[in-house]
Amino acid sequence: MSDQSVDAEEVRHVAALARVDLDEAEVEAFSEQFGEILDAFETLDEVPEIEREDDLENVMRVDEVRESLGQEEALRNAPETEDGYFKGPSVS
Amino acid sequence: MSRIFITEERIEGGDEGPLAGETVAVKDNISTEGVRTTCGSEMLAEYVPPYDATVVERLKEAGATIVGKTNMDEFGMGSTTETSAFGPAPNPAAEGRVPGGSSGGSAAAVAAGDADLALGTDTGGSVRNPAAFCGVVGIKPTYGLVSRYGLVAYANSLEQIGPLAPTVEGAARLLDVIAGPDERDATTREAPRASERRTGDAREAREEGADSDYASAADGDVEGLSIGIPTELVEGADEGVRETFWDAIADLESEGASYHEVSLPSIEHAVAAYYVIAMSEASSNLARFDGVRYGPATEREGDWNEVFAEVRERGFGEEVKRRVLLGTYALSAGYHEKYYKKAQDARAWVERDFEGAFSEADVLASPTMPVPPFEVGESLEDPLQMYLSDANTVPVNLANLPAISVPAGETDGLPVGVQLIGPAFGERRIIRAGSALE
């Protein structure tokens, strides 16, 4: 059974951080499921610290102008545009 | 109503090229210029990409005829193709059962004969799982072999586009067309020449350097092949699946291969590590769906955050919300060390375990899925159980390795797949071994 319960308030808090509205039924379902899923993730506590031998290297290319989408094409899927710009809700 | 395609729209191929005269179905998270690409989501129900994914460009250059965009779990999140906003996909090989996910529509298109070949994407098994459930062949390529440019991202560090086909040779031919570096995807690279590799016998030294001729490896020759069998990936499987698996190994033995058991102790942490990493990457990737540049229009008055949250409530299905929220949780203050960092440690451990196993084996073998295809609706009620069903496939994505799923027979009339895993860029090896099972 779940050691780590997640209450409705926490689910609402995470949903607010993720910018996803939830209805009450979803909040209830997720509160029940998240405890169980996070419990399963707890097994990661047994994982030893592993030294990585990654030989990572940056992949760079010259910063040059290339062909790109035109303004009309870039705006084609937007629900609302104005004068060649995307139109979004007010920021505050 | 179940459906294999979300959009059926034909793009006629040319008369020349390796795929001239052949039809290919494309998973609906791969961008096709001028053809709706929904990712199985309400959020993109009307989205029409203004450009082609690199793999689609390569299909066109190869003369392939594209026949449509296949059904999938929403944004690739699911193991049954039941989370699609456009209804589930059927399993032509097992009526009343799911086709597996998330490339279930692509596997079903091939199994039903609606396309000669298909493209899927594999983030934690999403090509191999539906291949196994639908009785077809699927390949998850080495990370970096196939360009992800134009693939709508779910979890970048894990996912690769891969081929599905009725035969190993067919899947390998499609891989030949889509593989290779792409300047628009900096994670792609040339398969290293065999002389630079630590493992491999003389035969492979000749062959793995001869890049991108995968189809010719499907010659069924497994004489001298050494197979490692990770006990952890066999023990937990259903009895009927285990029996079918061991029959397949016996077949390979009779054709000149040998096997030994290996242990990968890190494996029991792979599923948790996979889901923490995939959900974390998903929470970040899906932040782009804010309803401004694409997505459903909203009536609501309010500030940016309120409208943003409302569009996402309407546009995303339950599984997507679950993963975005859990990913946000795992990355949030106080939990990053506990979940995300530990998952990265587990990932490095899995990589190291595989490296050890490949020092003593040419390929590793396991059942692809530990269970036969679920009944429709069976797994939706319990997300954790669904996540656990990916136990045999996710370690491969964590370690960036290639793997193939090949039909191995049936249990109670339901398809069972065998998975063969290779070292990085060892595609020819797993294609050769897989073709010996046909």
Side-chain angles (χ1 to χ4, degrees):
Chain A
M1 264 336 284
S2 174
D3 304 329
Q4 182 171 356
S5 64
V6 176
D7 64 27
E9 213 35 58
E10 271 180 286
V11 171
R12 284 196 198 92
H13 174 65
V14 177
L17 291 177
R19 306 268 187 272
V20 181
D21 280 345
L22 299 178
D23 61 34
E24 275 313 301
E26 286 174 315
V27 170
E28 199 179 311
F30 286 167
S31 318
E32 278 176 31
Q33 292 162 359
F34 283 8
E36 197 191 7
I37 294 168
L38 292 169
D39 272 354
F41 292 171
E42 294 274 305
T43 63
L44 291 172
D45 283 345
E46 299 156 18
V47 172
E49 202 163 314
I50 301 283
E51 214 167 300
R52 294 184 192 84
E53 296 166 24
D54 292 349
D55 40 355
L56 299 177
E57 52 179 303
N58 285 323
V59 180
M60 303 288 198
R61 65 167 174 80
V62 180
D63 185 19
E64 56 192 13
V65 177
R66 297 179 175 198
E67 212 180 308
S68 63
L69 295 180
Q71 199 172 16
E72 204 176 306
E73 278 182 316
L75 293 170
R76 190 166 77 186
N77 285 284
E80 249 189 305
T81 62
E82 196 173 301
D83 301 331
Y85 294 96
F86 294 109
K87 192 174 177 188
S90 65
V91 175
S92 57
Chain B
M1 190 194 75
S2 75
R3 58 203 288 180
I4 290 178
F5 290 97
I6 293 174
T7 303
E8 285 188 76
E9 200 166 318
R10 212 173 162 90
I11 305 170
E12 290 296 338
D15 297 329
E16 283 174 42
L19 296 181
E22 294 198 71
T23 55
V24 183
V26 176
K27 188 175 179 179
D28 208 29
N29 58 351
I30 299 173
S31 301
T32 39
E33 183 180 353
V35 177
R36 188 167 79 118
T37 297
T38 70
C39 292
S41 182
E42 275 299 326
M43 188 65 98
L44 292 174
E46 305 301 331
Y47 176 69
V48 177
Y51 65 96
D52 276 328
T54 296
V55 292
V56 171
E57 263 180 15
R58 291 182 181 176
L59 284 181
K60 289 178 173 175
E61 284 162 14
T65 292
I66 294 170
V67 290
K69 307 298 293 293
T70 56
N71 204 353
M72 56 180 286
D73 281 303
E74 186 177 2
F75 285 104
M77 300 179 188
S79 305
T80 62
T81 311
E82 291 171 291
T83 71
S84 167
F86 302 93
N91 184 338
E95 206 180 320
R97 305 280 170 153
V98 301
S102 65
S103 312
S106 290
V110 171
D114 289 350
D116 298 322
L117 306 164
L119 289 182
T121 62
D122 191 312
T123 309
S126 290
V127 164
R128 290 160 286 158
N129 156 349
F133 277 9
C134 292
V136 300
V137 175
I139 299 175
K140 183 266 164 190
T142 305
Y143 188 80
L145 183 66
V146 178
S147 171
R148 294 188 339 277
Y149 177 78
L151 163 64
V152 181
Y154 150 33
N156 315 48
S157 80
L158 298 158
E159 62 204 1
Q160 277 284 286
I161 294 171
L164 291 134
T167 64
V168 172
E169 194 267 346
R173 268 190 308 122
L174 183 49
L175 183 60
D176 277 328
V177 167
I178 60 173
D182 176 14
E183 64 167 16
R184 291 175 297 190
D185 177 356
T187 63
T188 55
R189 53 194 178 123
E190 285 283 0
R193 300 198 70 84
S195 57
E196 295 162 21
R197 298 170 41 78
R198 272 171 294 175
T199 55
D201 60 18
R203 181 171 61 186
E204 276 146 12
R206 288 197 304 278
E207 289 171 348
E208 285 178 15
D211 48 346
S212 200
D213 182 11
Y214 299 117
S216 69
D219 60 8
D221 177 11
V222 289
E223 185 63 45
L225 184 83
S226 159
I227 304 168
I229 298 180
T231 46
E232 293 89 349
L233 299 186
V234 182
E235 277 165 2
D238 276 14
E239 196 183 336
V241 171
R242 281 205 311 270
E243 281 171 13
T244 312
F245 170 74
W246 284 114
D247 285 349
I249 297 301
D251 280 350
L252 292 173
E253 245 192 321
S254 71
E255 295 173 52
S258 63
Y259 81 86
H260 61 274
E261 299 200 357
V262 297
S263 178
L264 304 173
S266 64
I267 287 284
E268 67 171 292
H269 302 288
V271 171
Y274 165 75
Y275 277 100
V276 168
I277 292 169
M279 289 170 176
S280 298
E281 292 186 19
S283 73
S284 164
N285 275 321
L286 271 58
R288 78 189 62 180
F289 298 102
D290 58 7
V292 174
R293 287 148 303 151
Y294 28 73
T298 172
E299 302 293 309
R300 178 163 165 178
E301 297 293 313
D303 73 14
W304 185 286
N305 287 337
E306 289 162 359
V307 176
F308 193 166
E310 195 215 344
V311 165
R312 288 155 67 82
E313 178 190 25
R314 282 180 38 198
F316 288 153
E318 185 179 319
E319 185 60 36
V320 172
K321 289 178 193 169
R322 185 154 42 233
R323 294 195 195 191
V324 166
L325 262 57
L326 282 166
T328 303
Y329 186 88
L331 291 176
S332 63
Y335 293 109
H336 177 272
E337 296 280 310
K338 182 178 170 61
Y339 296 111
Y340 188 74
K341 189 178 167 300
K342 278 288 167 192
Q344 296 293 1
D345 280 334
R347 184 173 192 169
W349 189 15
V350 169
E351 281 173 40
R352 190 199 281 177
D353 261 2
F354 272 118
E355 254 174 55
F358 281 117
S359 66
E360 289 168 18
D362 297 319
V363 300
L364 305 181
S366 77
T368 308
M369 295 298 285
V371 290
F374 310 113
E375 286 179 35
V376 171
E378 190 182 342
S379 74
L380 286 179
E381 296 303 309
D382 190 344
L384 182 59
Q385 281 311 310
M386 184 175 76
Y387 299 164
L388 294 175
S389 72
D390 294 344
N392 286 9
T393 52
V394 300
V396 168
N397 300 73
L398 288 173
N400 302 331
L401 300 176
I404 189 170
S405 178
V406 183
E410 294 185 337
T411 174
D412 294 331
L414 300 168
V416 173
V418 163
Q419 168 176 249
L420 296 157
I421 307 166
F425 297 103
E427 270 79 2
R428 281 183 64 88
R429 230 189 263 193
I430 56 171
I431 285 165
R432 166 166 288 123
S435 67
L437 286 172
E438 292 179 318

